[in-house]
Amino acid sequence: MPQLPTGTVTFLFTDIEGSTGLLQRVGDGYRGLLATHNQLLRKAIASSGGVEVQTEGDGFFAVFPSATGAIRAAVQAQRAVSDHVWPEGEVVRIRMGIHTGEGDLSDGTYVGLDVHRAARIAAAGHGGQVLVSEATRALVGHASPMGVALRDLGLHRLKDIEQPEHLHQVLIEGFPDTFPPIRSLNARLSNLPEERSSFIGREHEVRTATALLERVRLLTLTGPGGIGKTRLALKIAAEQIGRFGDGVYLADLSAISDPTLVPQAIAKALMVREQPGRDLVGSLVDHLRNRELLLVLDNVEQVVEAAGAIGRLINEAPRLTVLATSRIPLHLTGEQEFPVPSLDLPDPHRSSDLDGLAGNEAVMLFIQRAEAVRPGMRLTADNAPTVAQIAVKLDGLPLAIELAASRAKLLAPDAILARLGTRLSLLTTGASDLPERQRTLRSTIEWSHDLLEAEEQRLFARLGTFSGGWTLEAAGVICGPGLDVEVLDGLATLVDHSLVRPGQAGNGEPRFTMLETIREFVAERLAESGEADELQHRHAEHFRNLAEEAELRLTREDRVVWLARLEAENDNLRAALDWAERTGDADTGLRTAAAIWRFWQQRGHLSEGRARLERLLAMAATAPRGPLRARALAALGGITYWQNDNPATRAAYEEAVDIAREVGDPKLLASALLDLSFIPLLEQDADRGEAILREGLAAAMVAGDRLLTADFWDSIAFLEVVRGNPRDAISMRRRAIEIFREEGDVWKVANNLTGLAMISRMAGDLDAARGHLREALGMFVQASDTMSIAMVLTALALVANDDGLPERAARLVGASARIRDELGGGIPPELIGRWGDPENDARTALGEDAYDRARAEGYAMDTEAAVAYARA
């Protein structure tokens, strides 16, 4: 067998569609048919430069050194199979899948995820169809074989493959191009949560709302808390997934009280980052402008002031449709309000009609939820009248019915009705400005609350301190002191009472949430308890401590885990910072904000982080200057650095240096000087940069901090580059990398490898540059660090120009630009300019039109496709 190629290769998998039925029809003639089939495919593979890796039954596995060769072979094979006259008039149809990836060999064959991906792509197709991955399409570009084009089939989820694959169909001239839907697990994108319980009733509402969505672009489901707006919206949205080509997405606004944070919640749901020099709404508009998408906004009422931003999205993104839930309408032009009614109530005059009651929505909901906590619970002739009265007493409110049904674990329907009746009668004099149903819901929650033991009630009220959920650990630290009940036991009781909802954090630990309606109730109880101030203080301290624990981990091997943890607690971090500002606790606020600035930077919250730091620093302006202010200034400078605002960065860093000198702390001074050195180096002021770096290095060595010392070797290496001495810089950069490896700082290892690659390139060693960039890219991909991936793509574009591949360089420039736009920032342009101008070089080599076309192809790649292309 010829030698198998390695590196970046293209895999081809084929098999005969319906081969079992074909065998049964032709009988003994199948052996000759299969031999002819194999001969035709082997000829096509060999003539296009491919190598047959394995044949099993009627399936072929081949590999090609080029993507174009693989497509050429597939087309030739399809033509040959179609043109051949098969015995007994049979028609043989071959399905094919092509994917480009890493050709890793083990024991004479290929192994790895790319092989499995190619096989799954083939399995998703139909006879006569050729499917290719985005990675292959990106490599082929406009170099497809004659008579061949590609049709974009969108994103598809394939069996056993975690990330969706962007698939394309090869269109062969003279061949059919219409096939049944691809055999994928989920051909549409959505972040809608899975239903954890059955959806009951509401058929009329679902039909009506669905019909409205076909002619309006803003549909708002309105009604009081507990009426079932969220569940209805999710049901409607789930049935729309097949209609909206770019997906259906949910932005949950329940934990947000600041209207200015609504765009961030939407951006998080859509995975959009703010763009440099643009407000976040503008970035969302750019993302949505050409997309056919349904956006579900849940719990808008407490941030209804954000209606203007929502209206702007609808006005400027003509294919966007919004489905909102709110207790009040948004009052936007074109809005269609849809008041959500209560569930249908049973006729009290026909309570003995068992069949009629069994089909009633409110009764069905009560029985099914009661059965969940009391197996065997059924609607009977004996309990049917009582269940009907419960539904009527609760006005058909779904949340109230579910809370009442949860009591069936201990109480019979008669006992539930008796207790419910007493509680409701006690609350008939509730606030007259509340709707009757909302007072009924309040009564139901209060009734559930009153069934708790006294210490469980205290825990329930204390949980109102949290925003957006909490972990078991946080509940113990903040709510546990002074309670005569174990927090875990108390939470278990609250879950049993359907007052708290259990879930899981990303690390598998339990995480809890509660409905916003219930959270409003416990917030009232917390305010009445006299414990609110103490608990909010403990809450702020706990999340300050969490932030400071995370600070040192955000560049280490487990940084992805800690970034995810901070994302999950972002609402609580915001609440802690809000409390610090509200109470004037600048110390807690500055410590928290300074600790999480890298989280803000890496998750695209640059504007929010800057605004908070500026307010906190202004609040503490009259306090004595000390290390904390210096750390906060360093954080502010870090954020403005990534926003490419050099004047603001310089001001922050210079004040931090002044404070460090006053304090006399060598480590603080070294860190501040390291930050400040970036400014003159970006401005090409080598003498000023050297003076700062030499002073800082001396301070770092006095402090005995190896990591900080390595940071200075890294910066001094860049100083040598500024002075035009790349060979002198190489040894310093390698020295820094060695220390970072020993200390386990993987982010700095990868970051410095990127810089070392550029230095090696300047020194004329392109092979070394490619090797360093390959290693750095692998480390950034493993950590899901897309901002740094964009940096490596730009560096690879420079190398591509050096290799005489300007079209490849233009695509890499486009792919990098898309990531930077999504993240809202990136490496300062001045730093990139020090290494060269890949955009200008590629444009000069290709000409304007060809460059624009290639760059647009790169910009169209998602991150996964861009990485695959970069590795090729």
Side-chain angles (χ1 to χ4, degrees):
M1 185 174 78
Q3 184 175 357
L4 296 175
T6 58
T8 299
V9 297
T10 300
F11 301 115
L12 167 67
F13 279 82
T14 78
D15 70 351
I16 299 176
E17 183 179 55
S19 57
T20 302
L22 186 61
L23 170 61
Q24 292 173 344
R25 290 194 300 274
V26 301
D28 293 339
Y30 184 77
R31 180 176 299 176
L33 182 152
L34 185 60
T36 302
H37 159 271
N38 293 352
Q39 181 182 5
L40 294 174
L41 262 68
R42 287 188 174 112
K43 181 178 179 181
I45 292 168
S47 65
S48 296
V51 178
E52 180 182 336
V53 180
Q54 184 179 346
T55 305
E56 185 172 342
D58 57 82
F60 269 71
F61 173 23
V63 63
F64 297 79
S66 76
T68 303
I71 292 180
R72 185 182 297 111
V75 172
Q76 181 179 335
Q78 290 284 14
R79 291 190 185 279
V81 170
S82 176
D83 293 341
H84 188 78
V85 179
W86 299 99
E88 302 182 30
E90 286 291 343
V91 176
V92 177
R93 293 187 175 90
I94 314 297
R95 57 183 178 181
M96 301 181 176
I98 300 173
H99 172 62
T100 302
E102 292 296 318
D104 296 327
L105 288 171
S106 177
D107 295 330
T109 190
Y110 292 99
V111 295
L113 182 60
D114 287 320
V115 177
H116 292 277
R117 191 181 297 273
R120 293 304 186 198
I121 291 171
H126 301 274
Q129 189 175 35
V130 181
L131 299 177
V132 303
S133 68
E134 174 65 17
T136 301
R137 185 214 64 80
L139 283 175
V140 171
H142 298 283
S144 302
M146 290 294 293
V148 172
L150 296 177
R151 173 182 293 162
D152 190 339
L153 299 181
L155 287 160
H156 293 263
R157 294 190 180 277
L158 304 177
K159 183 179 179 182
D160 299 328
I161 304 295
E162 182 177 353
Q163 296 297 322
E165 180 63 47
H166 197 155
L167 296 180
H168 303 263
Q169 177 183 318
V170 176
L171 304 179
I172 306 173
E173 187 175 357
F175 274 60
D177 62 357
T178 302
F179 297 90
I182 286 178
R183 299 183 180 96
S184 58
L185 301 180
N186 179 14
R188 299 289 184 178
L189 290 180
S190 171
N191 70 342
L192 297 183
E194 294 183 2
E195 291 188 0
R196 295 194 293 178
S197 59
S198 58
F199 184 84
I200 297 173
R202 302 288 201 192
E203 289 86 359
H204 173 71
E205 288 83 356
V206 171
R207 284 197 306 272
T208 304
T210 299
L212 287 171
L213 281 176
E214 293 179 0
R215 58 185 179 84
V216 302
R217 295 182 51 227
L218 172 58
L219 179 63
T220 305
L221 307 185
T222 58
I227 198 69
K229 300 184 295 295
T230 296
R231 194 67 191 274
L232 177 60
L234 292 177
K235 176 66 174 178
I236 295 167
E239 296 192 358
Q240 297 294 310
I241 289 178
R243 175 190 160 196
F244 290 86
D246 293 300
V248 176
Y249 290 88
L250 167 68
D252 183 1
L253 309 179
S254 60
I256 297 175
S257 58
D258 182 355
T260 65
L261 297 178
V262 169
Q264 291 196 13
I266 297 174
K268 178 181 176 183
L270 300 178
M271 294 178 289
V272 173
R273 304 297 178 92
E274 61 184 306
Q275 301 170 12
R278 297 212 63 185
D279 66 296
L280 186 52
V281 177
S283 299
L284 286 168
V285 167
D286 289 347
H287 177 80
L288 293 167
R289 181 171 284 115
N290 297 314
R291 283 179 164 84
E292 182 188 38
L293 185 144
L294 175 64
L295 175 62
V296 182
L297 300 178
D298 192 27
N299 292 289
V300 182
E301 60 271 0
Q302 73 271 20
V303 287
V304 73
E305 294 88 350
I310 297 169
R312 180 181 167 191
L313 294 181
I314 295 172
N315 291 336
E316 297 187 35
R319 301 175 71 194
L320 170 68
T321 300
V322 174
L323 174 62
T325 72
S326 178
R327 298 184 190 182
I328 56 177
L330 278 62
H331 297 296
L332 289 172
T333 302
E335 179 184 28
Q336 172 67 57
E337 185 178 353
F338 185 87
V340 178
S342 299
L343 296 174
D344 289 341
L345 295 176
D347 185 346
H349 300 295
R350 301 181 60 186
S351 60
S352 60
D353 180 4
L354 190 61
D355 290 337
L357 290 177
N360 177 262
E361 294 178 348
V363 171
M364 290 168 59
L365 178 61
F366 180 89
I367 292 298
Q368 287 202 17
R369 297 301 185 259
E371 185 182 9
V373 297
R374 188 173 183 172
M377 179 74 176
R378 296 289 185 273
L379 186 69
T380 66
D382 291 333
N383 66 24
T386 304
V387 173
Q389 289 184 62
I390 291 173
V392 172
K393 283 281 189 181
L394 296 177
D395 276 352
L397 287 168
L399 176 58
I401 292 171
E402 293 194 8
L403 289 169
S406 71
R407 303 276 61 78
K409 185 174 184 178
L410 300 175
L411 302 175
D414 284 335
I416 293 174
L417 180 62
R419 286 163 173 78
L420 186 60
T422 301
R423 289 296 180 262
L424 289 172
S425 65
L426 289 175
L427 292 172
T428 54
T429 57
S432 60
D433 60 342
L434 286 175
E436 176 61 33
R437 288 171 181 167
Q438 193 164 354
R439 296 208 300 272
T440 302
L441 177 61
R442 183 182 299 275
S443 304
T444 306
I445 299 172
E446 185 158 23
W447 167 63
S448 295
H449 166 270
D450 290 348
L451 291 177
L452 300 171
E453 298 293 336
E455 289 301 286
E456 293 167 347
Q457 291 178 355
R458 287 185 69 198
L459 172 61
F460 188 36
R462 289 179 171 193
L463 293 172
T465 311
F466 292 103
S467 181
W470 63 90
T471 63
L472 179 60
E473 177 193 7
V477 171
I478 296 166
C479 303
L483 279 182
D484 291 332
V485 62
E486 288 292 329
V487 169
L488 179 58
D489 295 337
L491 285 171
T493 299
L494 295 175
V495 170
D496 284 343
H497 284 237
S498 299
L499 294 169
V500 165
R501 292 184 168 185
Q504 276 193 334
N507 58 2
E509 291 297 312
R511 185 173 180 84
F512 303 89
T513 58
M514 63 174 66
L515 293 173
E516 193 62 21
T517 308
I518 297 177
R519 185 175 180 273
E520 290 178 10
F521 176 88
V522 298
E524 293 174 2
R525 290 295 180 271
L526 179 61
E528 295 168 1
S529 71
E531 294 185 326
D533 290 343
E534 179 184 353
L535 284 160
Q536 288 169 354
H537 191 184
R538 283 208 295 263
H539 177 276
E541 287 184 334
H542 173 77
F543 286 100
R544 176 201 66 202
N545 294 340
L546 175 68
E548 291 180 334
E549 183 182 3
E551 180 179 14
L552 299 177
R553 315 294 284 274
L554 295 182
T555 62
R556 300 302 179 114
E557 292 183 5
D558 55 351
R559 58 192 291 254
V560 177
V561 173
W562 279 92
L563 284 168
R565 186 172 179 184
L566 291 181
E567 189 69 61
E569 299 294 3
N570 198 22
D571 291 320
N572 280 311
L573 290 165
R574 284 170 170 160
L577 288 165
D578 288 343
W579 176 87
E581 289 189 52
R582 190 170 61 250
T583 61
D585 189 343
D587 183 88
T588 295
L590 287 172
R591 285 174 61 181
T592 305
I596 61 173
W597 83 266
R598 282 199 178 275
F599 162 70
W600 283 330
Q601 173 242 325
Q602 294 180 50
R603 289 302 168 96
H605 305 310
L606 295 175
S607 297
E608 178 188 356
R610 179 173 182 172
R612 287 194 181 277
L613 279 163
E614 287 176 342
R615 289 197 302 268
L616 288 163
L617 284 164
M619 190 169 70
T622 59
R625 301 203 307 178
L628 177 56
R629 184 174 183 84
R631 287 182 53 231
L633 287 163
L636 176 61
I639 287 178
T640 56
Y641 173 87
W642 288 97
Q643 289 182 318
N644 307 152
D645 186 348
N646 287 353
T649 304
R650 181 197 301 276
Y653 285 164
E654 285 180 345
E655 185 180 349
V657 169
D658 291 342
I659 294 173
R661 294 191 197 281
E662 295 169 7
V663 171
D665 182 335
K667 182 175 179 179
L668 184 67
L669 177 60
S671 181
L673 288 167
L674 179 68
D675 289 338
L676 182 60
S677 70
F678 294 148
I679 299 300
L681 291 181
L682 288 177
E683 296 173 345
Q684 310 299 311
D685 188 347
D687 292 339
R688 174 63 178 152
E690 180 178 15
I692 294 172
L693 288 171
R694 295 299 179 190
E695 181 185 2
L697 176 60
M701 297 179 74
V702 170
D705 190 309
R706 291 189 79 226
L707 274 175
L708 197 51
T709 301
D711 283 327
F712 277 100
W713 288 121
D714 167 26
S715 292
I716 292 171
F718 185 67
L719 173 67
E720 292 302 321
V721 172
V722 172
R723 287 189 160 151
N725 304 318
R727 294 189 182 279
D728 294 339
I730 289 176
S731 61
M732 297 180 189
R733 185 60 62 97
R734 284 177 174 162
R735 184 175 178 182
I737 291 172
E738 182 180 351
I739 296 175
F740 291 138
R741 287 192 196 276
E742 292 171 357
E743 296 293 327
D745 197 321
V746 293
W747 185 84
K748 288 184 178 177
V749 170
N751 192 55
N752 275 265
L753 282 169
T754 306
L756 181 58
M758 292 296 92
I759 298 171
S760 299
R761 170 180 168 270
M762 292 181 73
D765 191 346
L766 290 181
D767 288 338
R770 293 189 197 93
H772 297 321
L773 289 174
R774 189 178 303 115
E775 183 179 1
L777 182 61
M779 298 172 81
F780 288 137
V781 169
Q782 186 177 22
S784 302
D785 186 347
T786 49
M787 183 171 286
S788 298
I789 288 172
M791 175 177 64
V792 176
L793 294 179
T794 301
L796 285 167
L798 288 164
V799 174
N801 279 323
D802 294 337
D803 289 334
L805 301 171
E807 190 171 354
R808 173 177 169 81
R811 291 196 186 102
L812 290 168
V813 166
S816 177
R818 182 196 62 79
I819 295 174
R820 285 174 57 93
D821 288 348
E822 286 189 0
L823 295 181
I827 294 294
E830 299 93 335
L831 183 58
I832 298 298
R834 166 46 50 185
W835 307 120
D837 189 343
E839 190 165 359
N840 184 66
D841 292 346
R843 182 184 286 108
T844 300
L846 291 171
E848 199 72 34
D849 291 343
Y851 171 80
D852 289 343
R853 185 167 54 251
R855 186 185 187 279
E857 291 171 357
Y859 199 93
M861 297 180 190
D862 60 19
T863 302
E864 182 182 1
V867 167
Y869 184 69
R871 284 173 161 165

